[in-house]
Structure formats: C-alpha cells, structure tokens
Amino acid sequence: MANKYLFTPGPTPVPEQVVQRMSEPIIYHRSKEFREIFARVNGYLQTLFQTKQPVMTLTSSGTGGMEAIIVNLFSAGDKVISVNAGKFGERWSAIGKSYGLNVVEIKIPWGETVAVPQIIEALSIHPDTQGVLLTHCETSTGTTTDVKSVAEVVQKYSNALVIVDGISAIGALEFRFDEWGIDACVTASQKGLMIPPGLTFIALSNRAEQSALVSTLPKYYFDLNKSLIAYENNDTPWTPAITLVRGLEKSLQMLTAEGMGNVWMRHERISKILHEGLTGLGLKIFSKNPSFCVTAVFLPDGIEWGNFNSQLLSEHNIIIAPGQAEYFGKIFRIAHIGNIDDSNIKIILSAIEIILGRMHDERTKREIQ
Ligand SMILES: *Cc1c(COP(=O)(O)O)cnc(C)c1O
C-alpha cells in the first residue's frame, strides 16, 4: 500500500516514532506506569497551551470537548456571544442553543474575520454576556481570528469568559492561554498534536473553574469537576484512550523539543511558501486573513472539484479537503498542521502545477477543435 499524503484538517500525518510508541503492549491505566506517563504528558500539555493551569485529557473527538465547555461553564438561559465565521463558529452556536443558552450571534461572511469593534459593540448591547465563543482557526475558511486582541477587549469591557476553539490551531498558531487571559480552550488529538483522533484537551482559568462549580446544565461523562479532581493524581475519571496517551507522550516530546516558538514559526513559514506557490500558479487564496493551519483556495474557472481531487489522489496519492456547505465545489482546502515541513509543500505544489497545466492544455485543445 503506497503511503498517502494527508493534507486534511484532521486527521493529520502521524510521525513514525509516534506510531511505534502506540504499537507497544497495552498497559493498565490505574498503574504506576500509566500515571508516570500521564504526569509527563500533563506537563507537556501545559507547555503546549502556555499555561500553569491543568490541561484535562478527555476521551472524545474535539466536538465533545466543545460540548464539555458549554455544559460545565454555563446554565440554561445564560447569554453568550458566538462569533460565527464558518462551519465551526456555527457549531459553537448550535451547541449553545441545544443546551438552552441565549446565543447572540455575530455573523461574519465566510473568509472574513471578526473585527474588535464588532465585539465591543456586541458587549455594549449585551452587557449581561457571560461568555464569548471564538474559533482561533476557522478551519472551514482557512481564517485566523485575532484571539489575543478580542480577549483583551472582552476583559476590558465585560466580565464574560473568553472561550476558544483551538482545535485546528493549537500546536500550529501562537497561543498563550495565561498571558492572553483565556478562560477556556479546547483542542483535539488529530490536528496539531500529530496523533490519531480520539482525545480532546481542555484548559480552564481559575474564573472558569469557579463557573464550573455553579453551572447547572446536566452532565456526567463530561463533568470537568470530576476530571479536575482526578487530574490532581495524574488520573482520569474514566478509562482513557491509553494507546493514544502513549503516542501523545512521544508527539508532545517532539513538539516541546523543537520549542513552541519554533513550531509556530515553522507553520508560518510553510504556509507562506504555499501561499506564494499557489499565487504563482495563478490561484487565488479564499481568506482575507489566511491562517497558518489551513489554506482555502478558489477552484479556478472551469476546473471541477471531483476531477481535480481524483487526479490528486490517483496520480499523486494526495488527499486534500473540499469546501464545506455553500463553498463545496467552489474552494478546496489544504491543511498544513502538525507533522509537515517544506518538502510536503513542494510535493503538493508540483502536483497541483502538473494537474492544472494538463487540464488547461486539454481545454485549449478542445477550444481549438
Ligand atoms: C476539526 C475541528 C473541530 C471538530 O473536531 P472533531 O474532532 O471532528 O469533533 C472543531 N473545531 C475546529 C476549528 C476544527 O478544526
């Protein structure tokens, strides 16, 4: 079986050393051995989030982590401002609504990002806002939200909790939980953390921990108070995905050895090389504030998504992602999160150049005939 090149925004490529670690014999999670691994993982996770707060590990995909934040920090009827600039901002709103929160949505056109004055205005109209829901990298549009600046004004103008979906961003974009004054952040295993899907991670500020003590929404498996208590002993309330935790120890060791600053710079550098290469091929980037995690690109006129995608796969073993919702068939998305470097970018750029060149030649031929 030929190796495929995964350029999808989850799952992302898993390094060989991590695969090896996960193939070791299973161990018991209530053992000294596991607790020692988990203690090291917990330390690395704090570096990843740039926090002194606990970072809890839950067995679930990222959406479960988002739901955990909502059910632990709020009660029915609480007002939250949700920035909806794409598929994942929309998900924050939907989770909030399904638990009876009063969701005030700031709707942003796809490919654009919320401006700080819009946040200030929404907070002045809704001074009773208890939380502001943000998406650091809106994966559906390849757009970065300026979480740092938004957090600053939320703190200045309100008492609302700043809540960040960092699922595609953590381990790729600069992020500083403590310094930026973030109250809750969630990420997942299959993106910047370079392991398969199945784990989600949550950090809470002291303020958010206080909210978790008074929230009345129903919860059991995702009760973060239980997770926080278990965390004290490097433990989890329920059986964790032990194998993934073992892989995680390796991947986080790799990330922290590289250094978070270097990891962030690598993502910035390779995304800029990709952007220049794509623009050089005459393609147009979709986002007005492109992220260093995912690049969304307009499909050129006359190029059909299905055809383009199947040529990338069959001839070059490359898997990319389509546009979502109304942008299906209009844009395509290349993820460059995690275990990716310059050589991967060269591979995808040359494949796109070959395919577009041939498709262009075929069209010219048809036009002549
Ligand atoms: C991938 C992703 C999610 C969803 O995570 P799942 O692990 O599929 O549940 C949520 N938010 C963002 C920004 C994502 O990129």
Side-chain angles (χ1 to χ4, degrees):
M1 196 175 65
N3 249 341
K4 295 215 164 45
Y5 297 103
L6 266 188
F7 289 93
T8 46
T12 65
V14 179
E16 190 51 42
Q17 303 97 298
V18 174
V19 174
Q20 268 169 20
R21 188 66 67 90
M22 291 187 302
S23 67
E24 286 175 19
I26 190 78
I27 57 174
Y28 179 44
H29 56 290
R30 309 291 184 209
S31 65
K32 187 162 168 278
E33 189 183 2
F34 182 78
R35 278 189 200 176
E36 285 171 0
I37 293 172
F38 202 46
R40 289 192 290 273
V41 162
N42 288 338
Y44 290 141
L45 285 169
Q46 288 176 312
T47 305
L48 184 77
F49 279 63
Q50 298 283 292
T51 185
K52 294 198 165 60
Q53 292 296 109
V55 181
M56 290 164 275
T57 298
L58 281 63
T59 302
S60 155
S61 86
T63 306
M66 295 170 77
E67 179 158 333
I69 287 179
I70 296 292
V71 299
N72 279 276
L73 303 192
F74 301 106
S75 302
D78 281 358
K79 187 178 277 183
V80 293
I81 291 173
S82 172
V83 175
N84 174 356
K87 199 81 201 142
F88 295 102
E90 185 183 298
R91 188 167 302 178
W92 266 139
S93 302
I95 298 171
K97 284 177 197 157
S98 58
Y99 281 100
L101 301 193
N102 182 353
V103 178
V104 175
E105 207 166 64
I106 303 181
K107 203 143 183 344
I108 307 288
W110 280 43
E112 295 179 24
T113 182
V114 71
V116 165
Q118 291 174 283
I119 300 281
I120 299 175
E121 189 194 353
L123 287 170
S124 74
I125 300 170
H126 304 282
D128 52 341
T129 300
Q130 313 235 24
V132 176
L133 308 174
L134 303 168
T135 311
H136 196 181
C137 167
E138 178 48 78
T139 316
S140 59
T141 69
T143 303
T144 297
T145 305
D146 183 355
V147 164
K148 184 186 176 196
S149 304
V150 172
E152 211 173 283
V153 297
V154 174
Q155 284 146 19
K156 188 167 170 199
Y157 293 100
S158 77
N159 289 317
L161 298 173
V162 179
I163 296 171
V164 178
D165 169 352
I167 297 178
S168 56
I170 293 277
L173 297 187
E174 179 178 6
F175 180 75
R176 300 177 189 276
F177 187 90
D178 290 352
E179 201 182 308
W180 294 357
I182 308 301
D183 292 294
C185 177
V186 52
T187 193
S189 52
Q190 77 275 24
K191 309 207 180 179
L193 277 60
M194 311 187 291
I195 62 169
L199 293 177
T200 185
F201 308 90
I202 295 175
L204 299 181
S205 66
N206 286 321
R207 266 180 358 131
E209 284 182 16
Q210 294 307 310
S211 302
L213 294 174
V214 297
S215 146
T216 58
L217 284 173
K219 56 212 158 251
Y220 187 84
Y221 183 75
F222 283 139
D223 186 342
L224 295 180
N225 295 305
K226 293 192 181 92
S227 297
L228 281 169
I229 291 166
Y231 181 93
E232 295 294 315
N233 297 314
N234 293 309
D235 205 352
T236 53
W238 332 115
T239 309
I242 301 163
T243 307
L244 294 177
V245 173
R246 295 194 101 179
L248 183 63
E249 185 190 4
K250 186 68 202 171
S251 67
L252 291 178
Q253 202 180 13
M254 291 165 68
L255 284 178
T256 50
E258 185 178 350
M260 290 319 298
N262 293 329
V263 171
W264 300 331
M265 276 188 320
R266 171 166 54 83
H267 284 84
E268 177 169 349
R269 185 169 49 79
I270 59 176
S271 74
K272 286 184 172 159
I273 297 173
L274 178 66
H275 288 198
E276 273 172 31
L278 292 167
T279 318
L281 293 175
L283 293 165
K284 199 165 164 267
I285 307 293
F286 177 64
S287 175
K288 297 212 166 81
N289 187 35
S291 85
F292 304 144
C293 308
V294 184
T295 299
V297 190
F298 282 104
L299 271 164
D301 277 346
I303 304 290
E304 195 252 323
W305 158 253
N307 192 3
F308 178 62
N309 184 39
S310 69
Q311 293 189 47
L312 274 173
L313 179 59
S314 62
E315 290 171 24
H316 302 274
N317 271 320
I318 287 174
I319 306 180
I320 60 168
Q324 290 174 285
E326 67 217 76
Y327 285 95
F328 182 85
K330 298 201 176 90
I331 61 173
F332 61 92
R333 294 176 302 141
I334 301 169
H336 27 91
I337 310 170
N339 188 28
I340 300 254
D341 64 18
D342 305 62
S343 63
N344 304 82
I345 301 303
K346 279 193 195 125
I347 288 169
I348 190 152
L349 279 173
S350 73
I352 291 177
E353 183 173 12
I354 292 168
I355 293 172
L356 289 183
R358 189 178 48 226
M359 285 172 125
H360 181 257
D361 288 348
E362 282 165 3
R363 266 176 69 198
T364 319
K365 245 188 262 160
R366 274 200 306 274
E367 278 162 20
I368 293 169
Q369 275 162 1

